[in-house]
Amino acid sequence: MMQKILTTSLKPVLLLAVWIPASVAVVYGYEPSPPIANLQGEMAGEATDHSVILQSRLTELKLNKDGDAIGTAGTGCFQIADNPQLKNSRHTPWLKATAAHDFILKTKVDELNPGTHYYYRLLIGPAGQQSQVGPIRQFSTLAGEQSAPVRFAVVTGLNYARFMQGPADDGKGGVEGDDRRLGFPAFEAIRKLKPDFFISTGDSVYYD
């Protein structure tokens, strides 16, 4: 069961900050956690008229020399509301990203309203304490028993290797220039159409 995010009024508290040199911190077990990001963004999928699955993957701050996002351990949760200001929002339980699950944070959000546009974002923090706030994303629940128009896109053949490395996967004939940095050109066309949801039927990452 999800809980609403609560705010409380706090009395001023005097805090004492102590600097610990890195060499000393490691010796005494205070080694700081490495910076965490989620370079692969977020995903809202399997939407019904009352639920959705939210997912992200915690990564290092930068891509490696091969252009891959390396996963890293951490914790995070999702904040969700029916307005872009995230007023009266609620959040999922804090989730652990571990190597056993490829550092993926994934949870089902229930008790949503049918035919409703929702906004959400990922909160990342050590030991369940918020320290990083991601950008606000969006999704819509299905209309349920109501009749409503739906716009969606279906794509197959998302062959990343051929796009980046060419037909022979040897680095020859791949896409170059700005298109290589931006990714599949079709995605930009789909984004402009603003579909309600997207179906990837092949040559993709099968998150389940």
Side-chain angles (χ1 to χ4, degrees), residues 160-176 180:
Y160 178 82
R162 289 198 174 192
F163 181 83
M164 299 296 287
Q165 301 297 330
D169 197 18
D170 58 1
K172 300 178 181 179
V175 177
E176 299 179 354
R180 182 181 179 89

Side-chain angles (χ1 to χ4, degrees), residues 50-71:
H50 64 275
S51 66
V52 72
I53 293 177
L54 300 180
Q55 175 177 308
S56 187
R57 180 173 183 261
L58 299 190
T59 67
E60 296 180 0
L61 290 178
K62 297 181 180 180
L63 301 178
N64 67 6
K65 59 181 180 62
D66 297 320
D68 295 327
I70 304 302

Side-chain angles (χ1 to χ4, degrees), residues 124-136:
I124 304 173
Q129 298 180 2
Q130 174 185 331
S131 63
Q132 297 173 232
V133 179
I136 295 177

Side-chain angles (χ1 to χ4, degrees), residues 10 17 19-20 34 58 69 91 93 109-110 114 151 157:
L10 301 177
W19 176 72
I20 303 177
L58 299 190
H91 68 286
V109 182
D110 219 324
R151 295 166 59 89

Side-chain angles (χ1 to χ4, degrees), residues 7-116:
T7 58
T8 59
S9 58
L10 301 177
K11 295 181 179 180
V13 177
L14 177 62
L15 299 177
L16 177 63
V18 179
W19 176 72
I20 303 177
S23 57
V24 176
V26 173
V27 171
Y28 288 93
Y30 295 105
E31 184 176 5
S33 301
I36 300 175
N38 64 322
L39 296 181
Q40 294 169 292
E42 297 82 44
M43 177 188 297
E46 305 289 346
T48 69
D49 61 346
H50 64 275
S51 66
V52 72
I53 293 177
L54 300 180
Q55 175 177 308
S56 187
R57 180 173 183 261
L58 299 190
T59 67
E60 296 180 0
L61 290 178
K62 297 181 180 180
L63 301 178
N64 67 6
K65 59 181 180 62
D66 297 320
D68 295 327
I70 304 302
T72 189
T75 58
C77 74
F78 295 94
Q79 182 184 9
I80 181 172
D82 60 2
N83 61 87
Q85 294 77 32
L86 296 179
K87 294 180 179 179
N88 300 317
S89 62
R90 48 183 176 168
H91 68 286
T92 67
W94 283 88
L95 309 166
K96 290 185 178 181
T98 64
H101 297 283
D102 197 22
F103 308 104
I104 289 175
L105 303 176
K106 177 179 177 181
T107 186
K108 183 177 181 180
V109 182
D110 219 324
E111 299 182 3
L112 302 178
N113 296 319
T116 303

